[in-house]
Amino acid sequence: MPKQTFFITGANSGFGLAIAQAALEAGHQVIGTVRSQTAKASLLERLPDVCAVLCDVTEFDRIPAIVAQAEEDHGPVDVLINNAGYGHEGVLEESPLEEMRRQFDVNVFGAVAIAKAFLPRFRERRNGFIVNVTSMGGLITMPGIAYYCGSKFALQGISDVMRAEMAPFGVHVTALCPGSFRTDWAGRSMVRTERSIEDYNTLFDPIRAARHEKDGKQLGDPAKLAAAVLQLVASDAPPSQLLLGSDALRLVRERISRLEKEIADWEELTRSTDG
């Protein structure tokens, strides 16, 4: 794989940091975005060769200029890893709409704003690869993460349309759908709504306790995910979506099986509305 320039959002932790490190070790140039000077200093301490850039993905109007400056300073970007995001946990009825708005601002609008800053550049160059980091939560759902799943379902659908629209110009788009990995997603990076309705205790309290218990013990290895991403972006025929992790594989297959059965069970009524 020839040397390429990666633009990675949220490069100071989790998947972003792991992919940045793997790309640098493979000889690529990495532009990594962070939200603060403190995060920038931390990133450069761990990965001194990263070209660190300040960028809050929710400051939508500033993003085109940041991308333009990054390419002026470091040359054309070949691969966008749209990784910045976080998780929200909370029973839907208990969770304020403002928390949903923030979740979508970062996970959906921020990701789309970054992608849109690169689309004309990739289209005009007839080259580029966009990896939108979604989640198995963009294909399945679980109680207590409605806002998160909603944001990832949205990015999953947008990625599929983006892929179709950019394909004629030789630009690849893949949605990366990880399962549970040993990152900060379920720990430091998780926003949790306070509990307030006792009726949900039986359903949700064990879920929240189990997530705390499993934090840091998940099966997924971020370094192996990073290696898989490098293999993905080297492909000439990448998939529209790539599941990573055996848990994601199992849970998505189970959902597809349930969906197929439900469609078959209700097929007669489905067809009854024609004509």
Side-chain angles (χ1 to χ4, degrees):
M1 183 178 176
K3 177 181 177 181
Q4 294 186 303
T5 296
F6 284 61
F7 188 101
I8 304 174
T9 64
N12 59 308
S13 65
F15 296 146
L17 180 63
I19 297 168
Q21 181 172 354
L24 287 170
E25 290 175 352
H28 302 297
Q29 178 178 230
V30 174
I31 304 167
T33 77
V34 294
R35 287 193 302 157
S36 68
Q37 289 289 354
T38 301
K40 182 178 180 180
S42 175
L43 174 60
L44 290 173
E45 183 177 349
R46 285 175 288 181
L47 299 177
D49 294 329
V50 165
C51 306
V53 173
L54 289 175
C55 177
D56 183 332
V57 299
T58 65
E59 295 179 349
F60 311 127
D61 293 341
R62 296 188 63 242
I63 288 172
I66 291 171
V67 168
Q69 189 64 56
E71 288 208 334
E72 183 177 331
D73 293 342
H74 307 292
V77 169
D78 302 290
V79 180
L80 165 62
I81 307 292
N82 226 343
N83 166 72
Y86 72 97
H88 172 274
E89 180 194 77
V91 173
L92 183 60
E93 186 181 348
E94 294 177 336
S95 301
L97 280 177
E98 185 54 42
E99 292 183 357
M100 181 180 182
R101 183 176 291 110
R102 174 64 181 169
Q103 181 83 113
F104 273 65
D105 274 351
V106 176
N107 291 6
V108 183
F109 289 96
V112 172
I114 292 286
K116 282 175 63 65
F118 279 102
L119 291 180
R121 297 170 183 276
F122 287 174
R123 174 177 51 78
E124 290 165 8
R125 294 196 289 260
R126 297 300 197 263
N127 179 65
F129 202 130
I130 298 173
V131 178
N132 288 325
V133 180
T134 61
S135 167
M136 66 177 177
L139 295 165
I140 65 167
T141 62
M142 297 179 184
I145 51 172
Y147 292 173
Y148 179 76
C149 287
S151 72
K152 293 303 186 180
F153 264 75
L155 186 56
Q156 193 81 19
I158 291 166
S159 297
D160 213 35
V161 175
M162 192 185 300
R163 176 184 174 87
E165 292 179 348
M166 297 307 290
F169 311 115
V171 178
H172 299 305
V173 180
T174 294
L176 196 72
C177 312
S180 298
F181 278 75
R182 294 187 296 275
T183 67
D184 289 332
W185 181 84
R188 179 182 60 83
S189 296
M190 176 76 76
V191 172
R192 290 179 162 89
T193 297
E194 291 186 11
R195 296 298 324 287
S196 59
I197 304 174
E198 289 187 5
D199 278 347
Y200 291 108
N201 290 357
T202 301
L203 169 69
F204 186 62
D205 284 357
I207 294 173
R208 175 165 280 182
R211 186 167 287 128
H212 275 294
E213 172 63 25
K214 293 176 182 176
D215 184 30
K217 305 172 187 174
Q218 295 93 335
L219 186 62
D221 181 346
K224 290 185 176 181
L225 177 142
V229 168
L230 292 189
Q231 187 173 338
L232 168 69
V233 300
S235 172
D236 293 327
S240 59
Q241 57 197 25
L242 177 63
L243 297 170
L244 290 178
S246 58
D247 57 343
L249 185 63
R250 174 178 58 83
L251 291 168
V252 172
R253 278 179 168 166
E254 288 175 359
R255 181 176 189 266
I256 291 170
S257 178
R258 291 194 302 271
L259 184 59
E260 287 178 339
K261 182 180 185 304
E262 185 176 273
I263 290 171
D265 289 346
W266 290 86
E267 182 173 353
E268 184 177 353
L269 187 60
T270 298
R271 292 183 181 277
S272 72
T273 57
D274 291 351

